[in-house]
Amino acid sequence: MSTIPEPEPSRPWRTEDGPPPEVWTWPLGDRPALRVWSAGAWRYASVRARQDWPDGTVRYQVEVDLRGDTTMVTRTYVWPQEGLRVAHGSGAEPSRTADGQHQGGIAESAAPSAAKGPAERFGYR
């Protein structure tokens, strides 16, 4: 039996906490990841966002399968905690903007032109 405690999830930011945290995201295909100790095993957790709170704390919002049954949930954890480890970093720079690339969508420069019809966008005409 392990003596590592499972990490405690963080509550969401509230207006009484002061200014909202700065939020950083990474491109969908190159997100960093943590390992989360849960149900007696280290679980892989893709980082959805990093939150830098005005009080100096850092929180990571992750997508993780806490039970090992393929049910993915989103949790936010204060960093550091004993039940959290770095799995790997990202080769991409994080961004504070909500562009399509960092939200998992197609970046505008890669999106087909809306002026063309579906057949024209895919080269059928």
Side-chain angles (χ1 to χ4, degrees), residues 61-92:
Q61 183 184 60
V62 299
E63 200 170 41
V64 60
D65 173 8
L66 291 173
R67 298 181 302 208
D69 65 359
T70 70
T71 302
M72 300 301 285
V73 295
T74 300
R75 294 288 185 269
T76 302
Y77 296 106
V78 174
W79 179 266
Q81 290 189 54
E82 196 175 345
L84 300 173
R85 303 276 191 272
V86 173
H88 63 78
S90 170

PDB file of all heavy atoms in Angstrom, residues 61-92:
ATOM      1  N   GLN A  61      -5.221  22.707 -14.848  1.00  0.00           N
ATOM      2  CA  GLN A  61      -6.459  22.031 -15.222  1.00  0.00           C
ATOM      3  C   GLN A  61      -6.058  20.896 -16.156  1.00  0.00           C
ATOM      4  O   GLN A  61      -5.398  21.122 -17.175  1.00  0.00           O
ATOM      5  CB  GLN A  61      -7.406  22.992 -15.931  1.00  0.00           C
ATOM      6  CG  GLN A  61      -8.732  22.358 -16.280  1.00  0.00           C
ATOM      7  CD  GLN A  61      -9.603  23.303 -17.073  1.00  0.00           C
ATOM      8  OE1 GLN A  61      -9.225  23.740 -18.154  1.00  0.00           O
ATOM      9  NE2 GLN A  61     -10.764  23.619 -16.528  1.00  0.00           N
ATOM     10  N   VAL A  62      -6.422  19.669 -15.780  1.00  0.00           N
ATOM     11  CA  VAL A  62      -6.011  18.489 -16.536  1.00  0.00           C
ATOM     12  C   VAL A  62      -7.213  17.637 -16.915  1.00  0.00           C
ATOM     13  O   VAL A  62      -8.281  17.712 -16.308  1.00  0.00           O
ATOM     14  CB  VAL A  62      -5.010  17.623 -15.741  1.00  0.00           C
ATOM     15  CG1 VAL A  62      -3.744  18.403 -15.412  1.00  0.00           C
ATOM     16  CG2 VAL A  62      -5.635  17.065 -14.470  1.00  0.00           C
ATOM     17  N   GLU A  63      -7.011  16.812 -17.922  1.00  0.00           N
ATOM     18  CA  GLU A  63      -7.975  15.802 -18.323  1.00  0.00           C
ATOM     19  C   GLU A  63      -7.348  14.469 -17.946  1.00  0.00           C
ATOM     20  O   GLU A  63      -6.233  14.157 -18.365  1.00  0.00           O
ATOM     21  CB  GLU A  63      -8.183  15.901 -19.835  1.00  0.00           C
ATOM     22  CG  GLU A  63      -9.432  15.292 -20.339  1.00  0.00           C
ATOM     23  CD  GLU A  63      -9.650  15.658 -21.801  1.00  0.00           C
ATOM     24  OE1 GLU A  63      -8.688  15.662 -22.577  1.00  0.00           O
ATOM     25  OE2 GLU A  63     -10.804  15.926 -22.135  1.00  0.00           O
ATOM     26  N   VAL A  64      -8.049  13.675 -17.113  1.00  0.00           N
ATOM     27  CA  VAL A  64      -7.432  12.484 -16.536  1.00  0.00           C
ATOM     28  C   VAL A  64      -8.469  11.379 -16.325  1.00  0.00           C
ATOM     29  O   VAL A  64      -9.639  11.651 -16.052  1.00  0.00           O
ATOM     30  CB  VAL A  64      -6.729  12.838 -15.201  1.00  0.00           C
ATOM     31  CG1 VAL A  64      -7.686  13.397 -14.168  1.00  0.00           C
ATOM     32  CG2 VAL A  64      -5.941  11.680 -14.651  1.00  0.00           C
ATOM     33  N   ASP A  65      -8.018  10.147 -16.439  1.00  0.00           N
ATOM     34  CA  ASP A  65      -8.822   8.962 -16.125  1.00  0.00           C
ATOM     35  C   ASP A  65      -8.443   8.538 -14.707  1.00  0.00           C
ATOM     36  O   ASP A  65      -7.478   7.827 -14.497  1.00  0.00           O
ATOM     37  CB  ASP A  65      -8.505   7.855 -17.132  1.00  0.00           C
ATOM     38  CG  ASP A  65      -9.152   6.529 -16.807  1.00  0.00           C
ATOM     39  OD1 ASP A  65      -9.974   6.451 -15.881  1.00  0.00           O
ATOM     40  OD2 ASP A  65      -8.810   5.541 -17.489  1.00  0.00           O
ATOM     41  N   LEU A  66      -9.184   8.991 -13.716  1.00  0.00           N
ATOM     42  CA  LEU A  66      -8.819   8.773 -12.310  1.00  0.00           C
ATOM     43  C   LEU A  66      -9.002   7.335 -11.836  1.00  0.00           C
ATOM     44  O   LEU A  66      -8.342   6.905 -10.893  1.00  0.00           O
ATOM     45  CB  LEU A  66      -9.626   9.711 -11.400  1.00  0.00           C
ATOM     46  CG  LEU A  66      -9.275  11.191 -11.509  1.00  0.00           C
ATOM     47  CD1 LEU A  66     -10.260  12.031 -10.691  1.00  0.00           C
ATOM     48  CD2 LEU A  66      -7.847  11.449 -11.070  1.00  0.00           C
ATOM     49  N   ARG A  67      -9.887   6.580 -12.462  1.00  0.00           N
ATOM     50  CA  ARG A  67     -10.159   5.213 -11.995  1.00  0.00           C
ATOM     51  C   ARG A  67      -9.517   4.131 -12.853  1.00  0.00           C
ATOM     52  O   ARG A  67      -9.599   2.954 -12.519  1.00  0.00           O
ATOM     53  CB  ARG A  67     -11.677   4.980 -11.941  1.00  0.00           C
ATOM     54  CG  ARG A  67     -12.370   5.920 -10.961  1.00  0.00           C
ATOM     55  CD  ARG A  67     -13.838   5.662 -10.891  1.00  0.00           C
ATOM     56  NE  ARG A  67     -14.437   5.800 -12.219  1.00  0.00           N
ATOM     57  CZ  ARG A  67     -15.688   6.157 -12.442  1.00  0.00           C
ATOM     58  NH1 ARG A  67     -16.494   6.395 -11.442  1.00  0.00           N
ATOM     59  NH2 ARG A  67     -16.149   6.279 -13.659  1.00  0.00           N
ATOM     60  N   GLY A  68      -8.957   4.513 -13.985  1.00  0.00           N
ATOM     61  CA  GLY A  68      -8.369   3.517 -14.869  1.00  0.00           C
ATOM     62  C   GLY A  68      -9.399   2.761 -15.687  1.00  0.00           C
ATOM     63  O   GLY A  68      -9.134   1.671 -16.175  1.00  0.00           O
ATOM     64  N   ASP A  69     -10.592   3.343 -15.851  1.00  0.00           N
ATOM     65  CA  ASP A  69     -11.653   2.674 -16.610  1.00  0.00           C
ATOM     66  C   ASP A  69     -11.997   3.412 -17.896  1.00  0.00           C
ATOM     67  O   ASP A  69     -13.043   3.188 -18.480  1.00  0.00           O
ATOM     68  CB  ASP A  69     -12.905   2.502 -15.747  1.00  0.00           C
ATOM     69  CG  ASP A  69     -13.536   3.841 -15.355  1.00  0.00           C
ATOM     70  OD1 ASP A  69     -12.996   4.907 -15.730  1.00  0.00           O
ATOM     71  OD2 ASP A  69     -14.582   3.816 -14.680  1.00  0.00           O
ATOM     72  N   THR A  70     -11.142   4.299 -18.352  1.00  0.00           N
ATOM     73  CA  THR A  70     -11.252   5.134 -19.554  1.00  0.00           C
ATOM     74  C   THR A  70     -12.281   6.262 -19.443  1.00  0.00           C
ATOM     75  O   THR A  70     -12.599   6.895 -20.436  1.00  0.00           O
ATOM     76  CB  THR A  70     -11.522   4.313 -20.847  1.00  0.00           C
ATOM     77  OG1 THR A  70     -12.839   3.791 -20.814  1.00  0.00           O
ATOM     78  CG2 THR A  70     -10.490   3.210 -21.033  1.00  0.00           C
ATOM     79  N   THR A  71     -12.796   6.531 -18.256  1.00  0.00           N
ATOM     80  CA  THR A  71     -13.697   7.661 -18.055  1.00  0.00           C
ATOM     81  C   THR A  71     -12.850   8.899 -17.783  1.00  0.00           C
ATOM     82  O   THR A  71     -12.228   9.010 -16.728  1.00  0.00           O
ATOM     83  CB  THR A  71     -14.647   7.406 -16.867  1.00  0.00           C
ATOM     84  OG1 THR A  71     -15.385   6.212 -17.111  1.00  0.00           O
ATOM     85  CG2 THR A  71     -15.594   8.578 -16.671  1.00  0.00           C
ATOM     86  N   MET A  72     -12.826   9.802 -18.746  1.00  0.00           N
ATOM     87  CA  MET A  72     -12.016  11.013 -18.608  1.00  0.00           C
ATOM     88  C   MET A  72     -12.803  12.100 -17.886  1.00  0.00           C
ATOM     89  O   MET A  72     -13.987  12.303 -18.167  1.00  0.00           O
ATOM     90  CB  MET A  72     -11.587  11.522 -19.990  1.00  0.00           C
ATOM     91  CG  MET A  72     -10.762  10.518 -20.780  1.00  0.00           C
ATOM     92  SD  MET A  72      -9.248  10.003 -19.953  1.00  0.00           S
ATOM     93  CE  MET A  72      -8.238  11.434 -20.190  1.00  0.00           C
ATOM     94  N   VAL A  73     -12.147  12.760 -16.945  1.00  0.00           N
ATOM     95  CA  VAL A  73     -12.740  13.871 -16.214  1.00  0.00           C
ATOM     96  C   VAL A  73     -11.759  15.042 -16.228  1.00  0.00           C
ATOM     97  O   VAL A  73     -10.560  14.855 -16.417  1.00  0.00           O
ATOM     98  CB  VAL A  73     -13.093  13.496 -14.753  1.00  0.00           C
ATOM     99  CG1 VAL A  73     -14.174  12.437 -14.708  1.00  0.00           C
ATOM    100  CG2 VAL A  73     -11.865  13.041 -13.992  1.00  0.00           C
ATOM    101  N   THR A  74     -12.284  16.229 -16.011  1.00  0.00           N
ATOM    102  CA  THR A  74     -11.440  17.418 -15.903  1.00  0.00           C
ATOM    103  C   THR A  74     -11.335  17.788 -14.437  1.00  0.00           C
ATOM    104  O   THR A  74     -12.342  17.867 -13.734  1.00  0.00           O
ATOM    105  CB  THR A  74     -12.041  18.581 -16.712  1.00  0.00           C
ATOM    106  OG1 THR A  74     -12.127  18.191 -18.088  1.00  0.00           O
ATOM    107  CG2 THR A  74     -11.184  19.825 -16.596  1.00  0.00           C
ATOM    108  N   ARG A  75     -10.102  17.975 -13.981  1.00  0.00           N
ATOM    109  CA  ARG A  75      -9.841  18.384 -12.604  1.00  0.00           C
ATOM    110  C   ARG A  75      -8.812  19.505 -12.620  1.00  0.00           C
ATOM    111  O   ARG A  75      -7.975  19.579 -13.509  1.00  0.00           O
ATOM    112  CB  ARG A  75      -9.288  17.230 -11.753  1.00  0.00           C
ATOM    113  CG  ARG A  75     -10.249  16.094 -11.519  1.00  0.00           C
ATOM    114  CD  ARG A  75     -11.360  16.505 -10.549  1.00  0.00           C
ATOM    115  NE  ARG A  75     -12.223  15.395 -10.232  1.00  0.00           N
ATOM    116  CZ  ARG A  75     -13.325  15.075 -10.898  1.00  0.00           C
ATOM    117  NH1 ARG A  75     -13.682  15.785 -11.941  1.00  0.00           N
ATOM    118  NH2 ARG A  75     -14.067  14.047 -10.531  1.00  0.00           N
ATOM    119  N   THR A  76      -8.874  20.353 -11.606  1.00  0.00           N
ATOM    120  CA  THR A  76      -7.881  21.400 -11.430  1.00  0.00           C
ATOM    121  C   THR A  76      -7.181  21.155 -10.108  1.00  0.00           C
ATOM    122  O   THR A  76      -7.830  20.922  -9.086  1.00  0.00           O
ATOM    123  CB  THR A  76      -8.549  22.794 -11.432  1.00  0.00           C
ATOM    124  OG1 THR A  76      -9.254  22.955 -12.670  1.00  0.00           O
ATOM    125  CG2 THR A  76      -7.514  23.900 -11.294  1.00  0.00           C
ATOM    126  N   TYR A  77      -5.839  21.181 -10.146  1.00  0.00           N
ATOM    127  CA  TYR A  77      -5.032  20.911  -8.953  1.00  0.00           C
ATOM    128  C   TYR A  77      -4.058  22.061  -8.696  1.00  0.00           C
ATOM    129  O   TYR A  77      -3.462  22.597  -9.632  1.00  0.00           O
ATOM    130  CB  TYR A  77      -4.205  19.639  -9.133  1.00  0.00           C
ATOM    131  CG  TYR A  77      -5.025  18.383  -9.291  1.00  0.00           C
ATOM    132  CD1 TYR A  77      -5.149  17.759 -10.524  1.00  0.00           C
ATOM    133  CD2 TYR A  77      -5.667  17.809  -8.197  1.00  0.00           C
ATOM    134  CE1 TYR A  77      -5.890  16.594 -10.673  1.00  0.00           C
ATOM    135  CE2 TYR A  77      -6.413  16.646  -8.330  1.00  0.00           C
ATOM    136  CZ  TYR A  77      -6.520  16.048  -9.568  1.00  0.00           C
ATOM    137  OH  TYR A  77      -7.258  14.898  -9.700  1.00  0.00           O
ATOM    138  N   VAL A  78      -3.895  22.409  -7.422  1.00  0.00           N
ATOM    139  CA  VAL A  78      -2.853  23.360  -7.026  1.00  0.00           C
ATOM    140  C   VAL A  78      -1.520  22.638  -7.173  1.00  0.00           C
ATOM    141  O   VAL A  78      -1.379  21.469  -6.800  1.00  0.00           O
ATOM    142  CB  VAL A  78      -3.047  23.831  -5.563  1.00  0.00           C
ATOM    143  CG1 VAL A  78      -1.878  24.701  -5.119  1.00  0.00           C
ATOM    144  CG2 VAL A  78      -4.362  24.584  -5.415  1.00  0.00           C
ATOM    145  N   TRP A  79      -0.543  23.332  -7.729  1.00  0.00           N
ATOM    146  CA  TRP A  79       0.805  22.782  -7.897  1.00  0.00           C
ATOM    147  C   TRP A  79       1.720  23.454  -6.903  1.00  0.00           C
ATOM    148  O   TRP A  79       1.637  24.659  -6.729  1.00  0.00           O
ATOM    149  CB  TRP A  79       1.297  23.057  -9.321  1.00  0.00           C
ATOM    150  CG  TRP A  79       2.676  22.553  -9.565  1.00  0.00           C
ATOM    151  CD1 TRP A  79       3.825  23.272  -9.447  1.00  0.00           C
ATOM    152  CD2 TRP A  79       3.053  21.242  -9.942  1.00  0.00           C
ATOM    153  NE1 TRP A  79       4.899  22.494  -9.729  1.00  0.00           N
ATOM    154  CE2 TRP A  79       4.447  21.233 -10.044  1.00  0.00           C
ATOM    155  CE3 TRP A  79       2.362  20.065 -10.196  1.00  0.00           C
ATOM    156  CZ2 TRP A  79       5.160  20.093 -10.401  1.00  0.00           C
ATOM    157  CZ3 TRP A  79       3.067  18.948 -10.558  1.00  0.00           C
ATOM    158  CH2 TRP A  79       4.454  18.964 -10.650  1.00  0.00           C
ATOM    159  N   PRO A  80       2.593  22.764  -6.218  1.00  0.00           N
ATOM    160  CA  PRO A  80       2.813  21.317  -6.251  1.00  0.00           C
ATOM    161  C   PRO A  80       1.984  20.599  -5.188  1.00  0.00           C
ATOM    162  O   PRO A  80       1.530  21.206  -4.219  1.00  0.00           O
ATOM    163  CB  PRO A  80       4.300  21.197  -5.932  1.00  0.00           C
ATOM    164  CG  PRO A  80       4.585  22.349  -5.003  1.00  0.00           C
ATOM    165  CD  PRO A  80       3.649  23.458  -5.466  1.00  0.00           C
ATOM    166  N   GLN A  81       1.838  19.299  -5.372  1.00  0.00           N
ATOM    167  CA  GLN A  81       1.260  18.390  -4.377  1.00  0.00           C
ATOM    168  C   GLN A  81       2.010  17.072  -4.509  1.00  0.00           C
ATOM    169  O   GLN A  81       2.506  16.737  -5.585  1.00  0.00           O
ATOM    170  CB  GLN A  81      -0.231  18.123  -4.626  1.00  0.00           C
ATOM    171  CG  GLN A  81      -1.140  19.293  -4.372  1.00  0.00           C
ATOM    172  CD  GLN A  81      -2.601  18.880  -4.437  1.00  0.00           C
ATOM    173  OE1 GLN A  81      -3.033  17.959  -3.750  1.00  0.00           O
ATOM    174  NE2 GLN A  81      -3.357  19.573  -5.281  1.00  0.00           N
ATOM    175  N   GLU A  82       2.055  16.327  -3.437  1.00  0.00           N
ATOM    176  CA  GLU A  82       2.798  15.066  -3.444  1.00  0.00           C
ATOM    177  C   GLU A  82       2.249  14.065  -4.458  1.00  0.00           C
ATOM    178  O   GLU A  82       2.997  13.291  -5.033  1.00  0.00           O
ATOM    179  CB  GLU A  82       2.782  14.446  -2.042  1.00  0.00           C
ATOM    180  CG  GLU A  82       3.812  13.366  -1.859  1.00  0.00           C
ATOM    181  CD  GLU A  82       3.868  12.846  -0.438  1.00  0.00           C
ATOM    182  OE1 GLU A  82       3.323  13.495   0.479  1.00  0.00           O
ATOM    183  OE2 GLU A  82       4.468  11.775  -0.254  1.00  0.00           O
ATOM    184  N   GLY A  83       0.957  14.103  -4.701  1.00  0.00           N
ATOM    185  CA  GLY A  83       0.340  13.165  -5.638  1.00  0.00           C
ATOM    186  C   GLY A  83       0.347  13.624  -7.082  1.00  0.00           C
ATOM    187  O   GLY A  83      -0.380  13.081  -7.910  1.00  0.00           O
ATOM    188  N   LEU A  84       1.182  14.624  -7.402  1.00  0.00           N
ATOM    189  CA  LEU A  84       1.329  15.103  -8.777  1.00  0.00           C
ATOM    190  C   LEU A  84       2.788  15.033  -9.194  1.00  0.00           C
ATOM    191  O   LEU A  84       3.677  15.357  -8.407  1.00  0.00           O
ATOM    192  CB  LEU A  84       0.848  16.557  -8.904  1.00  0.00           C
ATOM    193  CG  LEU A  84      -0.598  16.865  -8.558  1.00  0.00           C
ATOM    194  CD1 LEU A  84      -0.832  18.369  -8.589  1.00  0.00           C
ATOM    195  CD2 LEU A  84      -1.537  16.152  -9.520  1.00  0.00           C
ATOM    196  N   ARG A  85       3.032  14.625 -10.427  1.00  0.00           N
ATOM    197  CA  ARG A  85       4.386  14.565 -10.994  1.00  0.00           C
ATOM    198  C   ARG A  85       4.336  15.094 -12.423  1.00  0.00           C
ATOM    199  O   ARG A  85       3.312  15.021 -13.084  1.00  0.00           O
ATOM    200  CB  ARG A  85       4.917  13.128 -11.054  1.00  0.00           C
ATOM    201  CG  ARG A  85       4.965  12.386  -9.741  1.00  0.00           C
ATOM    202  CD  ARG A  85       6.235  12.730  -8.984  1.00  0.00           C
ATOM    203  NE  ARG A  85       6.455  11.856  -7.843  1.00  0.00           N
ATOM    204  CZ  ARG A  85       5.986  12.056  -6.639  1.00  0.00           C
ATOM    205  NH1 ARG A  85       5.206  13.079  -6.408  1.00  0.00           N
ATOM    206  NH2 ARG A  85       6.269  11.238  -5.643  1.00  0.00           N
ATOM    207  N   VAL A  86       5.457  15.577 -12.921  1.00  0.00           N
ATOM    208  CA  VAL A  86       5.554  15.980 -14.328  1.00  0.00           C
ATOM    209  C   VAL A  86       5.701  14.715 -15.166  1.00  0.00           C
ATOM    210  O   VAL A  86       6.572  13.882 -14.896  1.00  0.00           O
ATOM    211  CB  VAL A  86       6.758  16.912 -14.563  1.00  0.00           C
ATOM    212  CG1 VAL A  86       6.942  17.191 -16.046  1.00  0.00           C
ATOM    213  CG2 VAL A  86       6.594  18.208 -13.784  1.00  0.00           C
ATOM    214  N   ALA A  87       4.860  14.559 -16.181  1.00  0.00           N
ATOM    215  CA  ALA A  87       5.002  13.449 -17.134  1.00  0.00           C
ATOM    216  C   ALA A  87       5.901  13.893 -18.282  1.00  0.00           C
ATOM    217  O   ALA A  87       6.848  13.211 -18.637  1.00  0.00           O
ATOM    218  CB  ALA A  87       3.642  13.004 -17.661  1.00  0.00           C
ATOM    219  N   HIS A  88       5.609  15.049 -18.869  1.00  0.00           N
ATOM    220  CA  HIS A  88       6.458  15.639 -19.913  1.00  0.00           C
ATOM    221  C   HIS A  88       6.039  17.078 -20.155  1.00  0.00           C
ATOM    222  O   HIS A  88       4.932  17.480 -19.816  1.00  0.00           O
ATOM    223  CB  HIS A  88       6.417  14.832 -21.220  1.00  0.00           C
ATOM    224  CG  HIS A  88       5.061  14.774 -21.864  1.00  0.00           C
ATOM    225  ND1 HIS A  88       4.530  15.818 -22.591  1.00  0.00           N
ATOM    226  CD2 HIS A  88       4.119  13.794 -21.879  1.00  0.00           C
ATOM    227  CE1 HIS A  88       3.332  15.479 -23.040  1.00  0.00           C
ATOM    228  NE2 HIS A  88       3.055  14.264 -22.607  1.00  0.00           N
ATOM    229  N   GLY A  89       6.935  17.827 -20.739  1.00  0.00           N
ATOM    230  CA  GLY A  89       6.663  19.214 -21.091  1.00  0.00           C
ATOM    231  C   GLY A  89       6.097  19.319 -22.495  1.00  0.00           C
ATOM    232  O   GLY A  89       5.723  18.318 -23.111  1.00  0.00           O
ATOM    233  N   SER A  90       6.080  20.533 -23.011  1.00  0.00           N
ATOM    234  CA  SER A  90       5.599  20.808 -24.356  1.00  0.00           C
ATOM    235  C   SER A  90       6.703  21.502 -25.137  1.00  0.00           C
ATOM    236  O   SER A  90       7.468  22.274 -24.568  1.00  0.00           O
ATOM    237  CB  SER A  90       4.370  21.716 -24.290  1.00  0.00           C
ATOM    238  OG  SER A  90       4.018  22.177 -25.569  1.00  0.00           O
ATOM    239  N   GLY A  91       6.770  21.250 -26.413  1.00  0.00           N
ATOM    240  CA  GLY A  91       7.721  21.946 -27.273  1.00  0.00           C
ATOM    241  C   GLY A  91       7.175  23.276 -27.755  1.00  0.00           C
ATOM    242  O   GLY A  91       7.893  24.075 -28.340  1.00  0.00           O
ATOM    243  N   ALA A  92       5.886  23.526 -27.510  1.00  0.00           N
ATOM    244  CA  ALA A  92       5.229  24.754 -27.956  1.00  0.00           C
ATOM    245  C   ALA A  92       5.199  25.786 -26.836  1.00  0.00           C
ATOM    246  O   ALA A  92       5.171  25.438 -25.659  1.00  0.00           O
ATOM    247  CB  ALA A  92       3.803  24.446 -28.404  1.00  0.00           C
TER     248      ALA A  92
END
